[in-house]
Amino acid sequence: MKTTDNTHSIFDDDPLLAEKKKFYPTLGHAWLIPVYSLVVFITFYIAATLAYPGIINDKLLSSLITIPIYCSLLLVMLIYSYNRKKKIEPDYILPFRTPSVAVLLTGPFLMFSLYLFTIGVQEWIHLSAFQEWDSVFLLIREKPVFYCFIYFLIDPLIQESLMRGVILDSFLKNYSPVKALLNVAAISFAFSLSPYTLLYTTSFSLMLSWIYLKTGNLGNTFYMQVLCGLIPALLVFILQDQFNTYVQQALRSPVWVGAAGIIAILCIIVLQTSLPSTNKAIK
């Protein structure tokens, strides 16, 4: 008897796509989000420089003004996109649940190794991301409460709700996992458009999207986003005046960077074997 195999790989779009109802956001709608945000951000930044001329040379002042603007733009995009999505999927609720034990345990090791490996590789190819983070390190030292509020709560909550909860969720229901993950990573990079953060931004986005693909749980990716902000803060406070020296030595060491790459791979293997998959294409 002839049988029909209905399985499809992570590279294939859903074969039942033609039978599905309309969805939001589409690829075109999603790509308008960073474009719109960039245009509005530049407009606000120009206005801020005119009102506060010193912002150009004052990294701390610049961060205190531009970061809230950036978060506000993302929040507006989230509210609009989520409302549009709810009109098409009335029963949809952002899937925030308790993080998985595997993610809780491997998360710190995966995030730290991913930081060291990706930024270290960029050091080797002379696209140093370390210098680009001077304003972040300054913010940690001078305005720790502001930093914690933004990077431990506001930014992770908004980013995960928008990038994974709204955009990736719709993509996964209508495109192949590979197409969905790559587009979300590209959209994440489009918010910065800095070659100095290319490897880290895209790698981090792919990792978070993969975890969401496996689990369908925004609690896992929110936790990883919090770790993303926590690790630099801990290093700054622990190493104090020696922070720049020790970190730059680690980033320029093939042994440290290579070890970080191996640890990151091992963490991903642990997650792959420990997390139950909610997507049939990657089981």
Side-chain angles (χ1 to χ4, degrees):
M1 179 181 294
K2 186 177 180 180
T3 61
T4 302
D5 186 2
N6 292 324
T7 60
H8 58 284
S9 75
I10 60 174
F11 298 96
D12 300 325
D13 285 344
D14 192 328
L16 301 178
L17 177 60
E19 302 176 11
K20 290 189 174 182
K21 58 185 177 181
K22 294 171 62 177
F23 66 98
Y24 187 89
T26 63
L27 280 176
H29 291 140
W31 271 102
L32 285 177
I33 293 176
V35 173
Y36 169 81
S37 298
L38 184 62
V39 171
V40 176
F41 179 81
I42 291 175
T43 302
F44 272 99
Y45 185 77
I46 292 174
T49 56
L50 294 176
Y52 305 96
I55 191 176
I56 298 176
N57 299 317
D58 190 331
K59 291 184 178 180
L60 182 60
L61 178 61
S62 177
S63 297
L64 293 175
I65 293 177
T66 57
I67 290 176
I69 293 175
Y70 172 75
C71 290
S72 298
L73 288 174
L74 286 185
L75 180 59
V76 171
M77 293 294 95
L78 169 61
I79 294 173
Y80 175 79
S81 301
Y82 183 69
N83 286 335
R84 286 285 303 273
K85 184 177 177 67
K86 287 285 286 185
K87 290 180 180 179
I88 297 173
E89 302 178 64
D91 296 330
Y92 180 74
I93 298 176
L94 292 172
F96 279 99
R97 300 187 296 274
T98 303
S100 306
V101 174
V103 174
L104 288 172
L105 295 178
T106 61
F109 301 99
L110 178 55
M111 271 310 310
F112 182 79
S113 59
L114 191 63
Y115 261 128
L116 183 54
F117 177 74
T118 56
I119 298 177
V121 169
Q122 291 207 177
E123 287 283 337
W124 298 351
I125 60 177
H126 305 292
L127 286 175
S128 177
F130 185 75
Q131 300 300 326
E132 292 287 304
W133 285 38
D134 281 347
S135 58
V136 175
F137 301 143
L138 182 62
L139 199 62
I140 294 172
R141 294 188 179 100
E142 301 295 330
K143 300 292 181 180
V145 175
F146 176 84
Y147 177 87
C148 292
F149 179 68
I150 293 294
Y151 289 99
F152 295 172
L153 178 61
I154 301 301
D155 186 61
L157 185 61
I158 296 175
Q159 282 220 41
E160 288 315 300
S161 297
L162 177 62
M163 300 305 296
R164 252 64 60 177
V166 175
I167 297 176
L168 181 60
D169 181 83
S170 290
F171 285 2
L172 288 174
K173 293 171 181 174
N174 296 276
Y175 304 120
S176 70
V178 168
K179 186 175 183 179
L181 267 63
L182 289 178
N183 270 279
V184 170
I187 290 171
S188 297
F189 175 67
F191 278 104
S192 64
L193 291 179
S194 170
Y196 299 100
T197 61
L198 171 62
L199 185 57
Y200 168 74
T201 300
T202 53
S203 299
F204 185 52
S205 177
L206 286 171
M207 183 264 294
L208 289 181
S209 295
W210 173 72
I211 291 176
Y212 183 79
L213 172 68
K214 287 279 292 180
T215 66
N217 180 8
L218 288 177
N220 287 325
T221 58
F222 175 83
Y223 170 70
M224 297 298 287
Q225 280 276 14
V226 172
L227 289 177
C228 175
L230 178 62
I231 289 174
L234 287 177
L235 289 176
V236 168
F237 280 111
I238 292 173
L239 299 178
Q240 297 290 331
D241 294 338
Q242 299 299 315
F243 173 77
N244 285 2
T245 301
Y246 282 124
V247 171
Q248 288 183 342
Q249 287 178 353
L251 292 176
R252 293 168 183 169
S253 168
V255 175
W256 279 101
V257 175
I262 294 173
I263 292 173
I265 293 173
L266 292 176
C267 288
I268 291 172
I269 293 174
V270 170
L271 290 177
Q272 171 64 25
T273 56
S274 302
L275 295 176
S277 177
T278 60
N279 189 292
K280 61 184 179 182
I282 61 169
K283 286 183 178 179

